[in-house]
Amino acid sequence: MNFLEIALMPLLVLCIISLPFIALFSRKKSPKKAKNAIILNLCSFFAVMALAVIFPIGGLISAETAEAAAQAVNSNAGLAYIAAALAVGLGSIGCGIAVASGAPAAIGAVAEEPKSFAKSLIFVALGEGVALYGFIIAFMIIGKV
């Protein structure tokens, strides 16, 4: 049961959630139908997770696991890990937004005037720096735990 919990269950959940992407890439669904299917999959996934938290199935947690969970709840380490994850995740999202708007403009500028390559490269690198800053902050947070 340990291998099933660790490896197969997350893989199964990921496969089920990504089924609309497979249908979209194989051109069996239109983008609007695929978007609706993705929203439906995500909503149903979070609904099942909420129901699993509200109505837990008894007998699946051993005494050792319950003690470890109680210690984790009482410590602040869990909040530090969440903060580190948020720092990396939000930094990466910000980096993606910055590069998504800066890189096409840089490519257009270089296409019109090749001498502007260095200037445009700086703007793209500044956008990527946001993700690095989030990564560094996450290391600093985890180092304090």
Side-chain angles (χ1 to χ4, degrees), residues 85-109:
L86 284 173
V88 171
L90 294 176
S92 297
I93 290 172
C95 168
I97 292 170
V99 171
S101 61
I107 291 170

Side-chain angles (χ1 to χ4, degrees), residues 9 105 120:
M9 290 304 285
S120 60

